[in-house]
Amino acid sequence: MRTFFNVEDLGDLRKALAEAQEVKRNRFAYQELGRNKTLLMIFFNNSLRTRLSTQKAAMNLGMNVIVLDVNAGAWKLETERGVIMDGDKSEHLLEAIPVMANYCDIIAVRSFAGLVDRDYDYAETVVQQFVQYSGKPVVAMETATVHPLQAFADLITIDEWSKVERRGSRVESQESSAPLTINTQHPTPNTYRPKVVLTWAPHCRALPQAVPNSFAQWMRAADVDFVVTHPEGYELDPRFVGDTRVEYDQKKAFEGADFIYAKNWSCPGVTRPEDYGKILSKDMSWTVDAEHMSWTNNGKFMHCLPVRRGLIVTDDVIESPNSLVIPEAANREISAQVVLKRVLESL
């Protein structure tokens, strides 16, 4: 695996989920894979979970790790061609990338959407330059449009807790151990398909669509019973959401749900490009509270973190026994380790 941006890059999801559990049982079993190999982690934006989990995953694999914060520890980088560099940016990405590539074996990049120029963001202009000019494998630690390490961790979490729910429902043991159905032409009959709902929630700032894009993409590949709910105008790009059912009535979407994934995103500009990156609504009735969760099937609450309490979710929901935000964050280490392991195996 030379790049990791989308669910297709991982291949068979059933094998990937099994590999995740193998890694989780023994995080240090593959240290020889990474011995004398170096991961360069480049951050154009702030990070907590991504930085810590990816670095820890690389260390578990025996790798050396270099962390570069572009905004604090390097020259400011110009990312566009054809500009006269007479401002505050001293170095161009086209020179910086091959220089960085000399010092590592794998590059991981985090670069958010600017939310100004939709074509620029959705072309993945920044990270694609790393793919084109580094000559090294490139792993996305969130880009303008996708956050695959988060989505993989989300899927691991849903898979694990679906099995817990099945064991607790007093069904036959053979059936209760059945994994999630993976989207194939011939899915396993009678396999448990949890209902998973991605819900928009209000926020005080305009946020990118990377997390909901990837979550939708990965849930479609896992073939869960997947529903997206949001106010009108927040329709996600079809390349990620496909023909997923969109329900504009949040209560109807929540009914019978096993997992609620809350996330804000700004207008994706699918139907009105001029609205790209704008906040179209701050409707607080979309905040996930106890009443919302009462509409579900004893549903579990999920969020990628960081989360704005009182906007996205109320204290009682995120602190409840049904909140999975901490196990979900812990699985970020596992998703990153599986991905880095596969990249190392391809070197």
Side-chain angles (χ1 to χ4, degrees), residues 1-11 13 42 44 97 106-112 121-153 209-219 221 239-240 335 339-340 342-343:
M1 186 166 68
R2 292 284 299 180
T3 59
F4 180 69
F5 291 94
N6 298 299
V7 64
E8 295 85 0
D9 297 328
L10 206 57
L13 279 186
I42 303 167
F44 288 85
I97 288 173
I106 301 172
I107 297 177
V109 184
R110 182 177 178 93
S111 178
F112 291 172
D121 287 344
Y122 272 71
E124 293 290 7
T125 306
V126 174
V127 294
Q128 285 301 327
Q129 291 183 75
F130 282 91
V131 174
Q132 186 173 357
Y133 300 114
S134 72
K136 298 294 171 68
V138 177
V139 173
M141 297 190 298
E142 188 168 2
T143 72
T145 67
V146 293
H147 197 349
L149 289 174
Q150 179 65 54
F152 186 18
Q209 301 97 44
V211 169
N213 281 346
S214 280
F215 188 75
Q217 185 186 54
W218 286 67
M219 290 304 104
R239 77 182 80 174
F240 302 108
S335 65
V339 169
L340 292 175
R342 291 194 173 192
V343 175

Side-chain angles (χ1 to χ4, degrees), residues 22-235:
E22 178 187 352
V23 164
K24 204 166 189 177
R25 284 189 292 270
N26 186 353
R27 288 166 168 80
F28 307 106
Y30 299 96
Q31 288 192 322
E32 282 303 307
L33 265 179
R35 194 162 74 89
N36 297 329
K37 297 291 192 299
T38 298
L39 172 68
L40 173 59
M41 298 168 58
I42 303 167
F43 291 89
F44 288 85
N45 302 91
N46 295 336
S47 174
L48 189 152
R49 276 149 299 277
T50 298
R51 181 185 296 248
L52 296 178
S53 62
T54 309
Q55 186 167 356
K56 177 64 163 59
M59 293 165 63
N60 292 349
L61 291 165
M63 299 188 75
N64 304 309
V65 182
I66 302 172
V67 179
L68 178 64
D69 188 333
V70 171
N71 295 318
W75 300 112
K76 289 188 177 181
L77 295 176
E78 177 60 64
T79 60
E80 297 190 43
R81 288 177 172 274
V83 298
I84 297 173
M85 292 174 57
D86 58 356
D88 63 344
K89 296 177 180 177
S90 306
E91 186 162 5
H92 202 287
L93 203 58
L94 292 178
E95 286 79 61
I97 288 173
V99 168
M100 292 185 239
N102 286 322
Y103 310 138
C104 65
D105 300 282
I106 301 172
I107 297 177
V109 184
R110 182 177 178 93
S111 178
F112 291 172
L115 297 179
V116 175
D117 184 335
R118 188 182 196 278
D119 291 340
Y120 182 90
D121 287 344
Y122 272 71
E124 293 290 7
T125 306
V126 174
V127 294
Q128 285 301 327
Q129 291 183 75
F130 282 91
V131 174
Q132 186 173 357
Y133 300 114
S134 72
K136 298 294 171 68
V138 177
V139 173
M141 297 190 298
E142 188 168 2
T143 72
T145 67
V146 293
H147 197 349
L149 289 174
Q150 179 65 54
F152 186 18
D154 296 334
L155 180 59
I156 293 168
T157 307
I158 290 171
D159 181 52
E160 290 174 336
W161 284 87
S162 294
K163 292 172 182 175
V164 169
E165 290 300 300
R166 293 292 280 175
R167 286 197 297 271
S169 63
R170 297 184 180 180
V171 295
E172 293 297 323
S173 59
Q174 182 176 0
E175 185 182 353
S176 68
S177 63
L180 293 175
T181 302
I182 302 301
N183 195 2
T184 65
Q185 291 183 345
H186 304 288
T188 306
N190 300 320
T191 304
Y192 175 54
R193 292 181 78 240
K195 181 177 179 181
V196 180
V197 176
L198 169 63
T199 181
W200 178 92
H203 202 280
C204 55
R205 296 177 54 209
L207 299 184
Q209 301 97 44
V211 169
N213 281 346
S214 280
F215 188 75
Q217 185 186 54
W218 286 67
M219 290 304 104
R220 288 174 58 218
D223 196 29
V224 298
D225 180 8
F226 182 51
V227 179
V228 179
T229 184
H230 55 71
E232 292 191 25
Y234 282 95
E235 291 77 13

Side-chain angles (χ1 to χ4, degrees), residues 194-200 225-231 244-262 265 285-286 288 291-300:
K195 181 177 179 181
V196 180
V197 176
L198 169 63
T199 181
W200 178 92
D225 180 8
F226 182 51
V227 179
V228 179
T229 184
H230 55 71
T244 298
R245 173 187 159 203
V246 175
E247 176 55 69
Y248 296 104
D249 184 329
Q250 192 184 29
K251 182 175 182 179
K252 188 178 293 185
F254 274 46
E255 289 175 354
D258 300 291
F259 297 90
I260 298 296
Y261 197 100
W265 61 91
S285 70
W286 284 77
V288 179
E291 181 184 358
H292 285 72
M293 296 304 292
S294 73
W295 304 333
T296 71
N297 178 32
N298 193 34
K300 302 294 187 290

